[in-house]
Amino acid sequence: MKIVSTIEDLRDQLRGQLRTAFVPTMGNLHEGHLSLMRLAARHGDPVVASIFVNRLQFGPNEDFDRYPRTFEADCEKLAREGVYVLFAPDEKELYPEPQEYRVNPPHHLGDILEGEFRPGFFVGVTTVVLKLFSCVQPRAAVFGKKDYQQLMIIRNMCRQFALPVEVVAAETVRATDGLALSSRNGYLTAAERIEAPALAATLQEVRAQMLAKPLEMARIEREACARLEARGWYPDYISVRRRADLQTPSMVDLAAATPLVVLSAARLGATRLIDNLEI
Ligand code: PAF
């Protein structure tokens, strides 16, 4: 695997490649990321990964400084997966001057759910993804459904800017107890790690209740939050949305079995976890 840290070297490595499949990451790679690499290999050749902890998508009180950085171990994992090039720029390379041109996702997608609780998050994500796409020029790029709203916003960005990139969605990889794999799981204490699958279990309950009594959505969401609170969690939201546009379903949608997804974010101790489940 070639490891390159400059845009110029990356372009040299990829010259003439028309079928590149790309997986952008912030490192601290786990089995979920590696499943994205395997899916990428089915959608293009060569597979290019990036590792860049993107300051633009972190709020002032978030975990940018303590975000886990495990570069050596990440390289070994990517090499084992047969990744052809790892692009690992530093901040000076990707943001040599203040990044004043930014992508602004529309309010109805970018400022709801995660965007409401993490203002500016999706501006940071879409800006870096557009820039990484411009560096790598992939034919396909893989994003996990774990970050469901991110996936949808990036897909819409590609459509609206007519970017020649196929956005491929990868299923969430879970531990055997149901916890969605995430780099932030590493922040959990041993006791919190035992409690953490309760978030996924709650989403399973919401799903079952929605399938049985969809018109009672508001009560189902409210009671799910209350159950987590009773276990010591601090939920930001547990919200059932239309899969197509992440808007709140109307009574007509609920009666017509419109495809839905339940999305959640909740804090357990000092760790904020997100998860979702299609209904
Ligand atoms: O999902 C992530 O790890 C990040 O948001 C991404 C897509 C790599 C952009 O920094």
Side-chain angles (χ1 to χ4, degrees):
M1 181 177 75
K2 304 270 184 333
I3 302 175
V4 297
S5 58
T6 68
I7 297 171
E8 198 184 339
D9 287 349
L10 177 71
R11 293 205 168 127
D12 279 349
Q13 288 297 332
L14 295 179
R15 189 148 297 126
Q17 300 284 4
L18 297 175
R19 295 186 56 247
T20 301
F22 177 46
V23 185
T25 81
M26 297 205 299
N28 191 234
L29 304 180
H30 49 66
E31 193 50 39
H33 294 109
L34 303 184
S35 77
L36 305 185
M37 305 299 156
R38 287 169 211 143
L39 187 57
R42 292 178 18 214
H43 287 267
D45 180 33
V47 173
V48 174
S50 67
I51 294 180
F52 181 69
V53 184
N54 173 38
R55 189 187 289 275
L56 289 190
Q57 71 191 71
F58 287 79
N61 299 318
E62 293 186 351
D63 53 346
F64 175 77
D65 287 327
R66 70 182 184 117
Y67 196 84
R69 288 155 171 93
T70 50
F71 189 71
E72 301 300 323
D74 292 347
C75 289
E76 281 169 26
K77 291 175 186 171
L78 292 175
R80 269 201 300 274
E81 290 301 326
V83 166
Y84 177 66
V85 174
L86 167 62
F87 179 45
D90 64 12
E91 284 198 289
K92 278 214 272 322
E93 179 67 15
L94 215 54
Y95 300 131
E97 53 188 75
Q99 184 68 33
E100 291 169 340
Y101 287 74
R102 298 191 185 197
V103 181
N104 247 308
H107 171 69
H108 63 86
L109 265 188
D111 298 331
I112 60 170
L113 302 165
E114 279 305 277
E116 181 185 340
F117 289 90
R118 303 184 65 188
F121 172 63
F122 288 115
V123 173
V125 168
T126 49
T127 300
V128 79
V129 169
L130 182 63
K131 195 154 186 175
L132 289 167
F133 281 0
S134 154
C135 298
V136 176
Q137 307 206 352
R139 192 203 71 77
V142 181
F143 293 86
K145 281 192 185 179
K146 159 83 172 22
D147 297 294
Y148 206 89
Q149 188 177 5
Q150 166 175 286
L151 166 67
M152 162 154 300
I153 288 175
I154 289 168
R155 189 169 262 155
N156 285 0
M157 173 181 81
C158 289
R159 197 185 59 233
Q160 287 226 332
F161 284 125
L163 302 181
V165 182
E166 179 195 355
V167 174
V168 178
E171 293 303 325
T172 301
V173 177
R174 296 179 182 279
T176 46
D177 59 10
L179 177 66
L181 298 194
S182 162
S183 299
R184 291 190 168 99
N185 293 350
Y187 297 153
L188 297 167
T189 64
E192 288 164 356
R193 177 61 191 82
I194 292 170
E195 170 59 21
L199 185 59
T202 302
L203 297 183
Q204 290 285 358
E205 290 159 10
V206 169
R207 180 174 188 276
Q209 292 169 349
M210 283 298 298
L211 290 173
K213 295 184 176 169
L215 297 182
E216 295 185 22
M217 181 182 84
R219 176 187 62 77
I220 293 169
E221 290 171 337
R222 212 173 38 247
E223 290 180 2
C225 272
R227 283 199 301 284
L228 278 181
E229 277 164 0
R231 301 176 68 105
W233 292 69
Y234 297 92
D236 282 343
Y237 58 84
I238 295 186
S239 191
V240 175
R241 299 294 172 111
R242 293 196 298 234
R243 274 190 225 175
D245 57 7
L246 296 188
Q247 303 307 299
T248 304
S250 65
M251 283 297 164
V252 174
D253 291 323
L254 294 175
T258 300
L260 302 173
V261 55
V262 54
L263 302 110
S264 64
R267 201 160 48 72
L268 182 59
T271 307
R272 187 172 180 279
L273 298 178
I274 64 169
D275 200 354
N276 64 78
L277 192 64
E278 290 176 338
I279 293 174

